[in-house]
Every structure is written in C-alpha cells, then in structure tokens.
Amino acid sequence: MDAILVVNAGSSSVKFQLFEIGGAAGLERRIKGQMDGIGTAPRLRVSGADGKTLVDKKYEAAEVADVRTAMRTSGAWLREQHDIVPIAVGHRVVHGGPEYSRPITVDDRVLTDLERFIPLAPLHQPNNLAPIRALLSLFPQLPQVACFDTAFHRGHDAFADRYAIPEQLYAEGVRRYGFHGLSYEFIAGRLPEVASEIATGRVIVAHLGSGASMCALAGGRSVESTMGFTALDGLPMGTRPGQIDPGVVLYLIAQKGMSAAQVETFLYHECGLKGLSGISNDVRELEASNDPRARLALDYFAYRIGLLAGMLAAALGGLDAFVFTAGIGENSAAVRARVAQRIAWLGAVLDPASNAAGKTRISARGSGIALYVIPTDEELMIARHTLALLSGARRSA
C-alpha cells in the first residue's frame, strides 16, 4: 500500500504514525508507535488502528544508542512485519524561523538552514532534525517534508509580530513567532465540523500539555499567540516558566553567577509546574497530591491561563468561544473547571456534568461564551501537508 510515515522525535524517543493513502478520507491511520528510552532502555511499542498491540519489544542500550539507529530499527520492523515502505515521510519541526511559512521538502541545504534555529528551540529543534538527517543518509531518494509549528502564525499583523527593539534585530529574525501551530491549524479545520456556529468567530484555543500555549483565532486564522521568540514564553508549562521578566535572567547571570548555558538549562528544565510545586511536572501527580505546593502550582496554572485569555480576548476585540485541547486540556476535568472559573468574567459558565463526562461542548445553557473540548491531531495534520506537497510535486513533474 502507498503510505506516509509521520515522525515526531524527542530527545530520547521517536514517535511515529503510518497513514495509508486512499479511501474517502484520503488518509487512514494504520499504525501508531514509538521507540523510547533511546540509549538507556530502548523499547519499541506499536499498535494498530484498532488499538491492539502489534509489538512491545525491549532492546539492550547499545542496540539502539541514537536516533539514527531508532529510525533504522523501527523502519526494519515496518518492512519485515508489514511489508511497508513509505513513499514519503512528514516531520514535525518546531521552528521554521522567518523564512519558512509553509511545509517544504527537505534536502541537505534546507536541513543546514534549519539548524540555524537550534538556539531558538534547543529542547526540540535538534531532535526534530536528527531523524531527517538519519533518513537522508539511509534513504536519500525518499521524499521528506518538514512541517513547522511556527508556520500557522506567520500571517500576524506587524504589531503582533514585533518586539519594541531596534529594526536591525527584527531583520535578523528576533520577533514573535508563536508555536503549536500544527495543533491550532488542525483545530481551526475541525471547528466547522464540530462547532459550526463559532467556526468563523472569535475563538481562543488552549493547547495545554507539557508544553502549553494559547492562540487567538479570528475566522479560523491565527491573529495572536501567547508564545513568542522561543517556546519559553507565555503560559507556565511542565518545566518552563512561561512569561518572565527579562530582569530575572539578568539577575541569574549577574548576581547568581550563572552562565548562559546554565540559565538555558534552568529555564527549560527546572521551572514551570515542576519548579513551582517542587514535586512534579505531571498534572496527574499534582492533582493526586495533598501537598499545598501542588495546589499552588495548579491554581497558578489556571490563573495565568485566565490572565492571558484576557490578553487574547483584547486582541480579538471580544470572545465567542474557548477551546481546550492537548493532553491536559483534553483529559483534566479539574483543570478545565479551574480555567472556566478564571474566565467567568468573559461570560463562561461551565456545565459540571458535561465537563466531568468529557463531552465536546461543556458550557452550560445560557453561557456567554461556548466552551469546547476538541482533541487535536498534529500527526494527521503533518500527513495532510505531506500528501499535498507530494501530490503537487507529481502534478508539476
């Protein structure tokens, strides 16, 4: 079968999904898997479209020591067990910089160009690019498509795109980019199907996961985001602080004697819910804890969401709906309830029963704004972009 492989790589794991091309929907998910514990305790886990386990295999650390080997091992399993050789691979790449505003087929030149943005997304960009480089060396003729988390936000107005700094820095690329764009693009496409009454209106989408941000949609188009130059800005996250006074960074360097590398590690790995609670970066653990610091972290999380929702509502000139998505947004009724309280001033009234049941619409009858829970699917979005680019290349050939 003709299929597209979608890859989302992290520092110690490679997640992948396989989509068959064809049928009424155009793309059908066939396989979902991941190789995690790379270099320490490698484990390949794969399930089929029905959710049943197809493989759960552990390896010695030396057998899968890096991303390149993880890709080769996962690919060999696909070929041997299912006789599947994808006709293209789509990748999530967090940062596209100022130049890349749409998906692009990657070659050595593009890959080298994208490596320039590693300092802007040090947690994500190197890991996103590693499997691309590995596949380029292993299968140089296999088309690979980079899909950028920043691309959906590239149409912002100039005043939403800039910082109040000299023009030269803006020309060099120091500007507000926004992230989680693949998630927001998917939700924008789903709204006409699941909530047609607000699809063309003023909507805030809250992508709440280990990484968290919010996006203001007007008519399905991004007009503002809580994230800026890097994925550190905006909402507090699992291990990142979100919005912080730049003076704090200066203090850490001048008064605490921290190097730039130490500050980077601190801001990306030691802050957020983890730093505030002193317990965990996992919302599930915080919700299960009786420690007052856990409650503080969760209350702070909801407070900042409510605070920045006001900013996005101002950018939109009002608000028609608020959408929860991603891991926390889709699964934590308690966080949704906390947030609903914080945006009650915008007209939100939660239906507790619908919220507890995880229904799609969770606002009460008569609520001034609609509240929705809509699962995101970044991998399907990547597969769609990859198929579109591949189809376009075939037509022009």
Side-chain angles (χ1 to χ4, degrees):
M1 67 176 177
D2 284 345
I4 289 174
L5 179 66
V6 172
V7 176
N8 187 349
S11 58
S12 61
S13 68
V14 174
K15 298 178 182 179
F16 59 90
Q17 295 191 27
L18 194 79
F19 293 84
E20 182 180 359
I21 301 172
L27 289 163
E28 188 170 349
R29 198 184 327 262
R30 290 298 187 189
I31 288 174
K32 181 178 182 179
Q34 67 182 60
M35 174 76 81
D36 53 23
I38 296 171
T40 56
R43 183 179 182 183
L44 176 64
R45 288 177 287 180
V46 185
S47 58
D50 57 2
K52 292 183 179 178
T53 299
L54 299 177
V55 65
D56 188 344
K57 182 178 180 181
K58 296 179 180 179
Y59 299 82
E60 294 297 324
E63 291 184 276
V64 186
D66 52 31
V67 169
R68 177 187 173 92
T69 311
M71 292 299 300
R72 184 190 293 122
T73 303
S74 302
W77 181 86
L78 285 171
R79 291 191 300 274
E80 293 167 6
Q81 299 299 319
H82 293 272
D83 193 27
I84 295 172
V85 178
I87 62 171
V89 182
H91 298 265
R92 178 195 178 206
V93 177
V94 165
H95 218 302
E99 291 93 353
Y100 296 102
S101 59
R102 57 180 58 87
I104 188 170
T105 302
V106 182
D107 55 20
D108 286 316
R109 180 192 63 79
V110 172
L111 184 58
T112 299
D113 204 23
L114 293 175
E115 287 173 340
R116 294 189 296 118
F117 309 128
I118 287 175
L120 306 188
L123 271 189
H124 304 90
Q125 197 83 349
N127 303 314
N128 297 158
L129 300 181
I132 300 178
R133 186 169 293 284
L135 288 172
L136 273 175
S137 63
L138 293 169
F139 309 102
Q141 302 306 313
L142 178 65
Q144 296 191 76
V145 175
C147 301
F148 304 103
D149 257 347
T150 50
F152 187 61
H153 305 293
R154 298 302 296 123
H156 286 180
D157 289 330
F159 45 78
D161 201 27
R162 291 174 178 255
Y163 293 106
I165 56 177
E167 175 67 23
Q168 178 58 36
L169 286 169
Y170 177 81
E172 292 174 11
V174 182
R175 60 186 73 180
R176 300 186 71 249
Y177 291 101
F179 297 88
H180 295 130
L182 292 163
S183 176
Y184 295 128
E185 184 178 8
F186 179 82
I187 296 298
R190 283 285 288 154
L191 285 177
E193 301 170 21
V194 300
S196 59
E197 71 278 9
I198 53 111
T200 60
R202 302 162 298 180
V203 180
I204 293 174
V205 183
H207 178 104
L208 307 180
S210 180
S213 70
M214 294 192 296
C215 175
L217 297 178
R221 183 178 66 87
S222 171
V223 298
E224 184 58 273
S225 171
T226 56
M227 280 185 170
F229 181 53
T230 70
L232 284 170
D233 200 9
L235 299 177
M237 292 163 255
T239 61
R240 286 169 269 170
Q243 189 178 59
I244 191 170
D245 185 338
V248 174
V249 177
L250 298 177
Y251 175 83
L252 295 176
I253 295 170
Q255 303 302 319
K256 305 299 286 185
M258 294 174 70
S259 67
Q262 288 172 324
V263 171
E264 180 179 282
T265 298
F266 175 74
L267 293 176
Y268 276 100
H269 297 282
E270 301 300 329
C271 297
L273 299 180
K274 176 184 176 182
L276 196 58
S277 71
I279 299 171
S280 175
N281 64 320
D282 192 320
V283 164
R284 292 166 296 187
E285 291 184 30
L286 297 177
E287 289 180 341
S289 174
N290 292 320
D291 193 311
R293 296 175 301 168
R295 181 178 179 84
L296 170 65
L298 293 171
D299 286 342
Y300 180 83
F301 187 48
Y303 170 72
R304 298 300 299 186
I305 293 170
L307 203 65
L308 293 185
M311 177 192 80
L312 297 182
L316 289 167
L319 190 62
D320 300 309
F322 190 99
V323 176
F324 295 91
T325 195
I328 299 169
E330 294 170 26
N331 296 299
S332 176
V335 166
R336 294 195 298 263
R338 276 182 161 95
V339 171
Q341 288 180 329
R342 289 292 178 180
I343 60 173
W345 67 277
L346 285 167
V349 180
L350 185 72
D351 180 339
S354 296
N355 182 47
K359 292 188 176 180
T360 299
R361 182 162 183 160
I362 59 171
S363 48
R365 189 183 300 274
S367 178
I369 63 171
L371 302 174
Y372 281 90
V373 181
I374 302 177
T376 192
D377 196 335
E378 293 161 296
E379 288 77 16
L380 179 56
M381 200 72 247
I382 293 168
R384 287 172 176 169
H385 282 309
T386 302
L387 179 60
L389 204 60
L390 194 66
S391 299
R394 285 174 171 173
R395 285 195 298 270
S396 60

